[in-house]
């Protein structure tokens, strides 16, 4: 008897999902057509505006000479490495700030202040300190992500329901075990928010820094497109950067967020 | 102070009887002059006037009273999660300070860790005590079976009903094998049916394990259904006004004991 009442909403959800997909597909197909029509109309000069077919050509060329794959690997590797360093430092800093009143008053206020600085503002300093080098790129990524992660961990610790800590202490949990087995996991929803913000900041400032650094990378291909007047390449790389952003968000952060939201029983 | 409901021999207790003998051996609990006052600006709030109590091993004691009468405060002090303004908690003739796995507190919300599955939740205390993995799993399974949660080892707390979560929390507390179980309105957030079932189950567990249980409630029916002894608190200032012995035969629950 309960079957129809269960299957109806299910069907409803699935048709809604398919409907959304169809509408989105239609929108993007339409967008491509308009884009191509605009390009074919030659309203703007060809070296200022590339149509989708030109962009496709450029993408194919970049792929075939191997520079696209190399560039993606180089940029993503920098992001991953710098982000990893930020993650470790951010967890330690956030834990210290979140659990000690004096550290919060001092170091905590500094982190809040530095967080207010747009992360691209670290680029000139990075160039001065490390020159145009791999270290400079890493520095920019670390500075982009570190403070968001730190503040996320700190907020998570402060918002931890005290009952978890009480229960854990009562069951004999102390010190490091209490921190790693209870306080950090309890803070996960909030940490995740910081992690997400941290990665977008890091990714943006890395792209900016790579514009200035002439070894092959996504940023330098973008800048190269300008240098060689290759508008197709500029459009192609921009699209690639967007796709990587969507992929990282969709493959890493969204599943994590969904899992946490469901398991913790509240919205992040 | 001591009165009696029912007509068994316990009603002969002497008035002012703080010295109910811990003849059962085991872990008796003495509360000596425990008080709690909060200072908030100009005001001094007497949350709990000095309390003297003696509880024998294996006794089921209910703290009954309206909110703000200090019953939960006293329980938290016994658990070591709150500091008393004065007095001593003496377990087995030894004064105790801070938390200890000999006294485990259960909260109104089950306080299971949402990032651990039920099995891992029950193993938590054992893991803190560095019990080896295989032994941990074995003990956890035993207590999950005791609270009828076999088959839910791999579920996460959000997948369980409120009553099941509270049973898992009881298994988690029992797994540490404490001498004293402190229950702070553990069924306060549950519906009446679930509550009745869990009361029956707690009674069963109590008679099977011989733990000393201190059970805080504001529900008279619950207190009388469960306790060997019901201690009545009054608010403003928080204090004990009555100490009843309940000599009704057990099991007292009218409900079905088999939980599914």
């Amino acid at each position: 008897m309960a079957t129809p009442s269960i299957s109806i909403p299910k069907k409803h959800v699935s048709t809604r999902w398919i409907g959304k997909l169809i509408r989105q597909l239609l929108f993007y197909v339409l967008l491509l057509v308009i884009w191509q029509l605009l390009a074919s109309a030659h309203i703007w000069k060809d070296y200022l505006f590339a149509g989708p077919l030109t962009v496709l050509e450029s993408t194919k060329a970049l792929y075939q000479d191997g520079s696209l794959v190399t560039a993606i690997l180089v940029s993503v590797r920098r992001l991953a490495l710098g982000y990893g360093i930020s993650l470790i430092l951010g967890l330690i800093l956030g834990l210290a700030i979140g659990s000690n009143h004096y550290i919060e008053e001092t170091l905590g206020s500094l982190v809040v202040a530095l967080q207010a600085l747009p992360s691209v503002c670290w680029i000139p300093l990075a160039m001065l300190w490390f020159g145009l080098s791999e270290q400079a790129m890493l520095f920019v990524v670390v500075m982009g992500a570190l403070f968001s992660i730190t503040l996320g961990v700190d907020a998570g610790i402060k918002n931890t329901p005290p009952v978890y800590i009480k229960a854990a202490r009562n069951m004999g949990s102390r010190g490091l075990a209490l921190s790693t087995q209870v306080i950090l996991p309890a803070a996960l929803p909030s940490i995740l928010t910081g992690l997400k913000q941290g990665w977008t900041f890091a990714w943006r400032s890395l792209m900016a820094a790579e514009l200035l650094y002439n070894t092959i990378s996504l940023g330098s291909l973008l800048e190269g497109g300008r240098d060689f007047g290759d508008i197709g390449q500029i459009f192609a790389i921009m699209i690639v950067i967007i796709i990587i952003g969507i992929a990282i968000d969709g493959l890493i952060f969204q599943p994590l967020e969904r899992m946490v939201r469901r398991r913790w029983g509240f919205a992040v | 102070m001591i009165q009696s409901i029912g007509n068994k021999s316990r009603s002969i207790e002497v008035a002012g009887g703080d010295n109910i003998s811990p003849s059962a051996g085991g872990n008796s609990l003495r509360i000596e002059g425990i008080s709690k006052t909060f200072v908030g600006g100009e005001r001094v709030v007497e949350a709990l006037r000095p309390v003297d109590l003696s509880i024998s091993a294996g006794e089921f004691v209910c703290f009954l009273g309206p909110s703000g009468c200090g019953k939960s405060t006293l329980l938290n002090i016994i658990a070591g999660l709150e500091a008393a303004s004065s007095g001593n908690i003496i377990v087995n003739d030894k004064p105790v300070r801070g938390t200890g796995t000999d006294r485990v507190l259960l909260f109104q919300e089950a306080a299971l860790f949402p990032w651990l599955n039920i099995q891992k939740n029950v193993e938590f205390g054992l893991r803190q005590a560095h019990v080896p993995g295989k032994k941990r799993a074995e003990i956890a399974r035993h207590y999950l079976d005791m609270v009828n949660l076999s088959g839910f080892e791999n579920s996460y707390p959000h997948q369980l009903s409120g009553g099941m979560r509270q049973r898992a929390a009881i298994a988690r507390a029992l797994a540490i094998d404490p001498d004293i179980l402190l229950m702070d309105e553990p069924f306060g957030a549950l519906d009446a049916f679930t509550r009745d079932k869990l009361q029956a189950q707690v009674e069963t567990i109590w008679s099977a394990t011989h733990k000393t249980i201190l059970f805080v409630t504001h529900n008279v029916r619950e207190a009388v259904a469960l306790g060997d002894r019901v201690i009545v608190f009054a608010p403003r200032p928080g204090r004990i006004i009555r100490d009843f012995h309940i000599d009704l035969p057990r099991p007292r629950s009218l409900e079905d004991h088999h939980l599914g």
Side-chain angles (χ1 to χ4, degrees), chain A residues 114-130:
Chain A
L114 291 176
Q115 167 75 357
L117 183 72
S119 47
V120 286
C121 298
W122 289 100
I123 295 174
L125 191 65
M127 304 283 169
L128 267 177
W129 282 359
F130 301 102

Side-chain angles (χ1 to χ4, degrees), chain A residues 34-51:
Chain A
I34 294 174
W35 182 13
Q36 181 58 45
L37 286 176
L38 279 175
S40 310
H42 297 288
I43 304 170
W44 300 283
K45 298 199 170 64
D46 278 356
Y47 63 87
L48 292 180
F49 190 82

Side-chain angles (χ1 to χ4, degrees), chain A residues 164 170-171 173-174 181 263, chain B residues 99 103 105 114-115 128 176:
Chain A
Y164 291 148
N170 200 183
M171 287 185 284
S173 194
R174 300 271 181 284
Q181 291 176 31
R263 204 168 279 178
Chain B
T99 56
R103 295 153 280 138
L105 183 62
W115 56 91
Q128 306 309 310
I176 313 170

Side-chain angles (χ1 to χ4, degrees), chain A residues 194-212:
Chain A
L195 288 181
K196 216 177 145 176
Q197 195 185 52
W199 108 259
T200 55
F201 285 179
W203 182 237
R204 284 163 200 201
S205 51
L206 175 65
M207 287 303 106
E210 282 183 351
L211 292 177
L212 307 172

Side-chain angles (χ1 to χ4, degrees), chain B:
Chain B
M1 286 265 271
I2 294 201
Q3 304 192 357
S4 187
I5 294 176
N7 52 5
K8 298 252 172 86
S9 57
R10 287 263 212 123
S11 55
I12 321 171
E13 293 295 351
V14 195
D18 280 339
N19 46 1
I20 298 156
S21 76
S23 53
N27 225 303
S28 68
L29 173 69
R30 275 212 325 276
I31 296 158
E32 290 182 349
I34 288 286
S35 74
K36 181 81 181 180
T37 43
F38 296 101
V39 183
E42 305 270 295
R43 259 157 44 101
V44 176
V45 180
E46 220 177 350
L48 192 63
R49 275 205 176 149
V51 167
D52 291 297
L53 268 179
S54 188
I55 288 155
S56 35
E59 205 171 11
F60 199 133
V61 180
C62 290
F63 290 176
L64 177 68
S67 47
C69 66
K71 58 194 194 305
S72 288
T73 307
L74 179 56
L75 210 64
N76 274 282
I77 290 170
I78 296 169
L81 291 167
E82 243 177 80
S85 305
S86 71
N88 288 310
I89 301 290
I90 294 154
V91 177
N92 240 1
D93 300 321
K94 276 190 214 103
V96 291
R97 293 243 161 268
T99 56
T101 49
D102 54 341
R103 295 153 280 138
V104 172
L105 183 62
L106 283 151
F107 305 88
Q108 179 164 354
E109 62 270 57
L112 295 171
F113 303 129
W115 56 91
L116 297 178
N117 65 23
I118 298 304
Q119 171 89 20
K120 290 270 162 21
N121 259 290
V122 176
E123 285 182 18
F124 182 86
L126 302 167
R127 193 166 158 209
Q128 306 309 310
H130 306 291
V131 175
K134 220 175 144 193
K135 187 89 192 291
R136 276 203 314 250
E138 205 176 292
I139 295 171
R141 264 198 301 278
H142 171 73
Y143 286 103
L144 280 171
D145 189 47
M146 185 179 274
V147 298
N148 295 322
L149 278 178
S150 292
F152 291 94
E153 290 85 354
N154 296 320
S155 302
Y156 281 87
H158 76 275
Q159 296 168 316
L160 268 53
S161 69
M164 290 161 91
R165 281 204 284 265
Q166 207 51 266
R167 270 145 60 193
I170 292 171
R172 184 172 71 171
L174 288 173
I176 313 170
D177 197 22
D179 298 301
I180 304 168
L181 267 185
L182 307 163
M183 306 178 90
D184 191 1
E185 301 201 37
F187 309 146
L190 303 176
D191 64 84
F193 294 107
T194 313
R195 193 177 183 134
D196 284 349
K197 280 187 168 185
L198 278 178
Q199 284 170 11
Q201 201 162 24
V202 163
E203 195 184 10
T204 312
I205 289 170
W206 171 73
S207 48
T209 58
H210 308 290
K211 304 278 180 210
T212 308
I213 295 184
L214 269 60
F215 190 104
V216 163
T217 180
H218 56 248
N219 183 327
V220 180
R221 184 173 169 268
E222 187 168 67
V224 175
L226 288 173
D228 287 329
R229 208 170 146 193
V230 174
I231 295 172
V232 185
F233 286 68
R236 279 176 297 274
R239 63 198 188 278
I240 292 176
I241 52 169
R242 282 291 179 79
D243 187 343
F244 293 103
H245 281 281
I246 313 289
D247 290 339
L248 300 170
R250 289 184 187 272
R252 293 182 190 154
S253 172
L254 303 171
E255 309 298 323
D256 185 3
H257 284 242
H258 304 287
L259 296 174

Side-chain angles (χ1 to χ4, degrees), chain A residues 56-99:
Chain A
L56 196 65
E57 282 301 306
S58 298
T59 314
K60 223 189 278 174
L62 284 169
Y63 176 73
Q64 271 159 359
D65 71 8
S67 53
L68 183 61
V69 177
T70 314
I72 291 175
L73 289 179
V74 166
S75 293
V76 171
R77 189 179 152 272
R78 283 175 185 157
L79 181 73
L81 208 62
Y83 192 73
I85 296 171
S86 294
L87 189 62
I88 295 166
L89 289 178
L91 284 177
I92 296 170
L93 275 178
L95 207 53
I97 292 171
S99 46

